[in-house]
Amino acid sequence: MDMNDEGGKLSESPDRISDMPDSVIECILSRLPLQDMVRTSILSTNWRLHWTKVPELILNLQFFLHLLNYEPFRDYDDEEISEMSKNFKYVTTVSRMLLVHGEPIHKFFLLIPFRTLPPDVNLWIYSVSRKGVKRLTLHAYYNQFKVPSYVYHCTELKHFRLAGCELCPSQSFRGFSHLLNLEVAHAKVSGDAISTLISGCPLLERVSLDCIFGEWASVFTKSVSAPKLKQFLLQSLTFINVIFTRTPELTIVSYGYYDMDLLPTDIKLSNIVQFFGSVPKIEDITLSGNVLSEFGKHDVPERLLAPLGDLRSLTLIEMNICTPDNLLSAFCILKSSLHLHKLNILVESKLALSWRDAVDYLEAQQRAAPTSFSLKTVKIKELLGRPPEVLLIEILLSSCLMLEKMYLFGHHYITPDNDSKMLAIATRLRASTKAEIIYSRSSAFYSPFNFWCKQTWM
């Protein structure tokens, strides 16, 4: 309020925010949590419908928990009543919001937190599918949510993310013509749906597959063909043999799996030469120790015939330094990389019955003709101070002429003697005069999932 000099009366200051163009107001609102964005409707008559013009609705865990904060059912002893109350509140709120929101919805994130799925969920997705959605995320918390058929008719879809869902497109489905990013996590996939999606999306640039199960995961060899694909991430519970065909732009790959017991004995696997031959432009690669083991079961050359001239970053997850097959594969990649600058290793900390063969291999590497690596930064986590680990560090120190920093992290169960041994490495001679060695002991177990999980689904 300003004081009027003539009459001594109070006059209203101009409402500069309300006078801004609608496009600016909607841009500001889109950066607020959904509950706060909707609250602006009570500011004035002019603001009542502003939020309905924002082309995105983010119904995530934060929004869901916000609804619960004001509900008395949290103190109920009857879990069934509590569950029904939560579902009713969520269903009623979301249904009302979609009913009022009449503008296009280009971005839609839907948390599905129900143990028993209400029919309203399919109606919500149907409504959004008819509003030009371009970014769609469906995250089911409990039972597998079967993606409804009309999702596959969202012709403008560019980013598609699924978690806890069942992917089962019809046989007539041929992909999304505008899709750029596909992420599927903890999902049941029937038939060859993922391969159909990848091959049927000509503009696809990024694929992330995490813990896929169902019919798709039971087929052990998968061909990946996508001419625009730049990034491919696969973390599977069981082995999936990936063969890259027609992926000339692929530069980032993360490839790993956990369960070796389900691997058929008669399956023919890609060897290290075939695998890297299919990704000639690779710049950043992450491999699990199990993949290194499979590579090591074939004839592993000292160097690849075609050097990895573009590779800049190498990450090895759960690498078993105490087994020669992991070391064979790792050194083949290192010696074939002309311009590799970053090396990250998460050591597998399981008890090794013997490391004699690994020690013999590493000592042979020390005696061989010196090899120069172009590494500038090295990080090794979960070290236990075992002889193969110490030898590997010594080889890297003596071979990296451009090394700037080496970070060593001891396992939280490392013995005091081995802890002292790792501290002593910091005083060792090194090929690079400017190399700095930093050692610290982990206070807690470092999970390999921290390497794979680069995004949040919340």
Side-chain angles (χ1 to χ4, degrees), residues 17-165:
I17 296 180
S18 296
D19 288 342
M20 291 190 297
D22 286 354
S23 59
V24 176
I25 294 176
E26 291 160 19
C27 182
I28 295 173
L29 291 179
S30 68
R31 285 159 171 74
L32 297 176
L34 182 56
Q35 58 271 18
D36 295 331
M37 183 174 70
V38 175
R39 279 175 178 162
T40 62
S41 62
I42 66 173
L43 294 177
S44 70
T45 304
N46 292 337
W47 280 81
R48 183 171 299 168
L49 296 178
H50 266 308
W51 75 270
T52 67
K53 300 176 183 179
V54 177
E56 59 181 62
L57 289 176
I58 310 300
L59 304 163
N60 56 10
L61 182 62
Q62 180 185 3
F63 175 75
F64 179 65
L65 294 178
H66 169 78
L67 292 180
L68 304 189
N69 286 339
Y70 301 96
E71 289 303 300
F73 64 73
R74 290 182 300 159
D75 299 325
Y76 290 176
D77 294 329
D78 191 330
E79 292 185 2
E80 183 177 356
I81 294 178
S82 173
E83 188 73 20
M84 290 176 60
S85 301
K86 288 187 289 185
N87 290 357
F88 179 77
K89 177 67 174 180
Y90 189 68
V91 167
T92 302
T93 303
V94 175
S95 296
R96 287 176 178 173
M97 292 177 67
L98 286 172
L99 181 64
V100 175
H101 200 293
E103 298 294 321
I105 299 178
H106 294 156
K107 183 178 180 180
F108 187 62
F109 187 121
L110 177 62
L111 174 70
I112 307 172
F114 311 109
R115 297 181 189 274
T116 303
L117 190 71
D120 307 69
V121 174
N122 284 326
L123 294 176
W124 299 340
I125 298 173
Y126 176 73
S127 173
V128 172
S129 70
R130 297 171 63 87
K131 295 186 177 184
V133 63
K134 296 179 180 180
R135 292 174 173 263
L136 178 62
T137 300
L138 303 176
H139 187 184
Y141 247 59
Y142 296 106
N143 299 327
Q144 291 292 312
F145 171 67
K146 187 174 181 179
V147 178
S149 60
Y150 27 84
V151 168
Y152 304 110
H153 298 288
C154 296
T155 56
E156 299 182 49
L157 205 58
K158 291 185 177 181
H159 300 267
F160 191 24
R161 306 174 73 204
L162 298 173
C165 297

Side-chain angles (χ1 to χ4, degrees), residues 27 30 34 60 89 126 131 143 155 210 224 235 253 345 349 376 391 394 420 445:
C27 182
S30 68
L34 182 56
N60 56 10
K89 177 67 174 180
Y126 176 73
K131 295 186 177 184
N143 299 327
T155 56
D210 184 8
V224 176
Q235 177 60 11
V253 172
I345 299 176
S349 55
K376 294 183 178 181
L391 283 170
E394 290 177 346
S420 301
F445 176 70

Side-chain angles (χ1 to χ4, degrees), residues 87 104 159 161 195 223 236 252 271 277 295 312-313 355 446:
N87 290 357
H159 300 267
R161 306 174 73 204
S195 300
S223 176
S236 176
I252 301 175
N271 60 40
F295 286 159
R312 297 294 187 273
S313 177
W355 49 67
Y446 191 90

Side-chain angles (χ1 to χ4, degrees), residues 144-147 151-152 160 162 164-169 173 176 182 184 187-195 197 209 212-213 216:
Q144 291 292 312
F145 171 67
K146 187 174 181 179
V147 178
V151 168
Y152 304 110
F160 191 24
L162 298 173
C165 297
E166 181 178 350
L167 196 62
C168 185
F173 175 69
F176 299 106
L182 173 66
V184 184
K188 181 179 180 181
V189 179
S190 60
D192 211 22
I194 295 291
S195 300
L197 264 174
L209 309 174
I212 307 298
F213 57 95
W216 186 83

Side-chain angles (χ1 to χ4, degrees), residues 252-269:
I252 301 175
V253 172
S254 293
Y255 178 29
Y257 60 96
Y258 290 118
D259 196 341
M260 297 286 291
D261 298 332
L262 298 179
L263 181 63
T265 56
D266 59 344
I267 196 74
K268 186 177 181 181
L269 307 176

Side-chain angles (χ1 to χ4, degrees), residues 5 46 111 158 176 183 197 232 237 249 324 363 377 457:
D5 293 336
N46 292 337
L111 174 70
K158 291 185 177 181
F176 299 106
E183 299 177 42
L197 264 174
F232 181 85
L237 295 174
E249 303 299 321
E363 288 177 344
T377 304
W457 285 85

